[in-house]
């Protein structure tokens, strides 16, 4: 992509990013209905945290404007900052080339953006740039740096 459209929002969400992982079917014996239950117990908390921070940052960055419910093509850039395990030195493994998978981190984040109400649905995101880095102190806090742009009109 040659550039971005208008910046909609840029923010940092503190915390340990969670993944949207596998779901397993669970049958309710009383009703007979089957529900899908997420395997990652941290997913709900992370999604809620992202949604709250996105809403909060919208009103901080745009105090006089109501939050939109964007229904246009969007680009999202996400940098996931993961805690470095104590047993892993920066020289031995400078990049987080182990779990969690960047695509599963992104899936959870995009669902959280939809949960926030800022975007109508994550299907509106036509370009995603997702990366993961270690959050090495003292410079970076674990979490995610997120930027959302509308699409340039001249791009196709």
């Amino acid at each position: 992509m040659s550039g971005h459209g208008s910046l909609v929002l840029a923010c940092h969400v503190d915390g340990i990013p969670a993944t949207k992982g596998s779901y397993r079917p669970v049958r309710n014996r009383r009703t007979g209905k089957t529900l899908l239950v997420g395997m990652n117990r941290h997913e709900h908390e992370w999604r809620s945290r992202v949604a709250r921070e996105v809403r909060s940052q919208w009103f901080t960055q745009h105090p006089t404007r109501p939050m939109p419910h964007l229904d246009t093509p969007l680009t999202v850039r996400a940098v996931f900052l993961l805690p470095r395990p104590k047993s892993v030195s920066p020289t031995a493994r400078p990049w987080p080339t182990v779990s969690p998978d960047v695509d599963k981190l992104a899936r959870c984040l995009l669902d959280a953006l939809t949960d926030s109400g800022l975007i109508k649905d994550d299907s509106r995101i036509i370009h995603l740039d997702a990366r993961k880095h270690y959050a090495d102190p003292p410079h970076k806090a674990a979490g995610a740096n997120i930027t959302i742009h509308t699409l340039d009109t001249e791009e196709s």
Side-chain angles (χ1 to χ4, degrees), residues 84 88-96 134 136:
R84 181 186 296 276
V88 176
S89 76
T91 52
R93 188 181 340 124
W95 296 96
Y134 282 124
D136 289 326

Side-chain angles (χ1 to χ4, degrees), residues 12 15 30-31 81 92 100 111 118 136 138 140 150:
H12 173 82
R30 191 171 52 79
T31 64
L81 300 166
D111 284 347
L118 179 63
D136 289 326
K140 297 178 183 173
T150 56

Side-chain angles (χ1 to χ4, degrees), residues 40-108:
N40 183 349
R41 61 190 170 91
H42 302 289
E43 178 185 347
H44 179 75
E45 178 192 346
W46 174 247
R47 279 176 65 167
S48 296
R49 181 178 293 219
V50 171
R52 276 194 315 271
E53 187 63 22
V54 164
R55 285 190 295 268
S56 171
Q57 284 300 312
W58 173 266
F59 293 111
T60 298
Q61 296 174 27
H62 309 279
T64 60
R65 292 174 47 203
M67 190 172 78
H69 192 59
L70 298 169
D71 192 14
T72 58
L74 301 166
T75 66
V76 172
R77 181 169 194 261
V79 179
F80 298 100
L81 300 166
L82 306 172
R84 181 186 296 276
K86 289 183 182 13
S87 61
V88 176
S89 76
T91 52
R93 188 181 340 124
W95 296 96
T97 54
V98 295
S99 222
D101 296 356
V102 72
D103 62 315
K104 291 182 178 178
L105 290 166
R107 284 175 52 208
C108 190

